[in-house]
Amino acid sequence: MCQSDSSSPSTRPLPAAVHGEAHALRTALDEANYRYYVRDEPTLTDADYDRQLRRLQTLEEEYPALVTPDSPTQRVGAPPSGGFPELEHAVPMLSLDNAFSREEIVAFVERVAERLECSAEGIAFSGEPKLDGAAVSLVYERGALVSGATRGDGRTGEDITSNLRTLRSVPLTLRGDNPPELLEVRGEVIMRHAGFEKLNLDARERDTKVFASPRNAAAGSLRQLDPRVTATRPLEFHAYQAARIAPNPGDLTHSELMARLAGLGFRVSRELEVLKGPDAVARYCEALGETRDALGFDIDGAVIKVDNLRQQRELGFVARAPRWATAYKFPAQEEITRLNEVEFQVGRTGAITPVARLEPVTVAGVIVSNATLHNADEIARLDVRIGDTVTIRRAGDVIPKVVRVDADKRPASAREIVFPTRCPACDSEIERLEGEVVARCSGGLYCPAQRKEALKHFASRRALDIDGLGEKLIEQLVDNGWIETPAGLFGLEAERLQTLPRMGEKSAHNLIEALEKAKATTLARFIYALGIREVGEATAASLAAHFGTLKAVQAAEREALEAVNDVGPIVAAHVHTFFRQPHNQQTLAALRDAGVHWDEREVIAGPTPLEGQTWVLTGTLESMTRDEGKARLQALGAKVAGSVSKKTACVVAGDAAGSKLEKARALGVKVLDEAGFIAQLAEWENATAEAPNDVSTDEQSNH
């Protein structure tokens, strides 16, 4: 009588023959996936693929030791998660500037040539389609996929690694015998037209949600909390950039790097071309526009990049966009509909915007029922009236707008659009300053519409970052009359908050704690939080670094403000005007009285200790955020870069520092740990400051 095998699957010995069969199956299935989903060259029939996959699943069930994270069986998705944690991008995912005409794309090429001091005909550019999907970033270590994230705000995205693993066009392990130790690949997740139509057909049959466009379908599919749902969606990943690669591959071009990514198992654009001269670049953009409908997936333009990576580094960046690339946007798509009514909205800065309420119409795959009319001048130029037949234009993510009126179809009942003279939100007088096309409410912080938007901005993540103070709660606080200015937030009491709908005791106390925590901020964040017109994060940081104290910013005349990097006459005028308004001065005093504070130092004019030096921050700092460290270095005159080179003066290495630290050591670049960095900062800051600005609360309230 034969004895039965009583050992459990987890303890059963793994025969060499089984191990070999499983390896052969994985290899065959990986190759079939690559050929089908990346190369469009099927090597197995569906039946053969399914048979081999079932055999591998059976072996892995019998011998769990065979299961590996990169096995083809693991693409089906894990059980649902409770949400998506944030994941900070090691290299920011920047936006691109746009060009909308042949003249603008030629001008871009000529600007590049001027900056590189060479002939426009001699510069090589790469051109490829601008995919209309969801941007993501994939990170590989030692050839294995370790993380994947959405673009998010460009600095921080959502960790959707489990969902991205289900895409068969995303390699779980890189192909080839010698993959990079570290590789970060940027690309777009798209849905082809055929897959989109089938997805919506199935949804209609099941009476479930129908997606408006392939782009919405791709983005929604990637953010499913259950990866098993993502696994059923016809998604594709197309690579368009290697953001990081180590070891350094040498002096490659972008097009050569894309060819290398293709060899590592990624789908890259077949329409990628290397172009020389402005005419060749312009012809490529125009030709791509003419053939876009034949691609089988949505594109909304062409991306033009300087092909030479060394020249890319030389050109650098401006604000949130690279100087070495631009997006040529195809002519906008248009539709005709009826204008039913016009309403007037009040923005955060008091701008009065007329909004057209339309008969709903689908434009570029999106249902549009509202469009902007911009201002009174635009209404007069269009001669548009309520009841008119109008043409709507929508270009990518741009807000739809009314571009033409068919006067021949104007009904007898059509009514003229009357621009209000008083604010629809607070009944304050509407002003239109000389030289400005925008009309604005004069109510300032007293206008409920502006009050809500100002508070939302004040509490936002990049401003004072008040956790738990969302839009709906701010609206409740303002509507109840509890808050009139930002300073009022810091007088809220937990007992009163608990009386609000859906606000429990714990939530109320958490908000009070968040408000207390938000009192400790930085001067740059505080200036940004004030919502001064056209003062974004970068400008706020420049003002803080240049002047050092709020008192100095407040006292600065326009000429002094214009001396700040990136501050021109218009921004200087806005800043100067803001700080001289009595109600703004009262708000600032009230905020300081409420305990909002930051470190300040009187800045001495003259050379700074780190002037002309380039520093790099890497790893995690315990005593400050990297943004705070960057701001302090910039205040001392340093330029803070994202990559290490021979020209780098010093690298600050926090916890879990990786490839940047290794490269610094290899190049002999000076490295400081966090303790050394803090000590050095203190020494330099003391040397460049007269004394800490230790002003009493009473004195501060008068500034």
Side-chain angles (χ1 to χ4, degrees), residues 14 56 89 160 476 552:
L14 181 60
L56 181 58
H89 299 298
I160 56 168
Q476 287 178 310

Side-chain angles (χ1 to χ4, degrees), residues 606-663:
T608 50
L610 304 185
E611 191 169 334
Q613 294 187 21
T614 299
W615 283 57
V616 172
L617 295 165
T618 184
T620 302
L621 302 177
E622 293 184 1
S623 59
M624 68 184 79
T625 66
R626 279 169 55 174
D627 281 346
E628 290 168 345
K630 179 179 179 180
R632 292 175 71 174
L633 284 170
Q634 289 173 331
L636 292 165
K639 175 184 176 183
V640 181
S643 59
V644 180
S645 70
K646 291 181 179 179
K647 295 182 180 180
T648 303
C650 185
V651 169
V652 178
D655 187 43
S659 58
K660 293 178 186 176
L661 175 58
E662 295 174 5
K663 185 172 182 180

Side-chain angles (χ1 to χ4, degrees), residues 90-109:
V91 178
M93 296 183 71
L94 301 176
S95 302
L96 294 177
D97 286 333
N98 295 324
F100 294 95
S101 65
R102 182 185 183 93
E103 292 75 17
E104 290 182 4
I105 201 71
V106 168
F108 161 74
V109 173

Side-chain angles (χ1 to χ4, degrees), residues 65-94:
L66 286 172
V67 180
T68 59
D70 59 350
S71 172
T73 63
Q74 302 305 297
R75 289 193 185 271
V76 294
S81 66
F84 300 112
E86 289 188 343
L87 196 155
E88 185 177 356
H89 299 298
V91 178
M93 296 183 71
L94 301 176

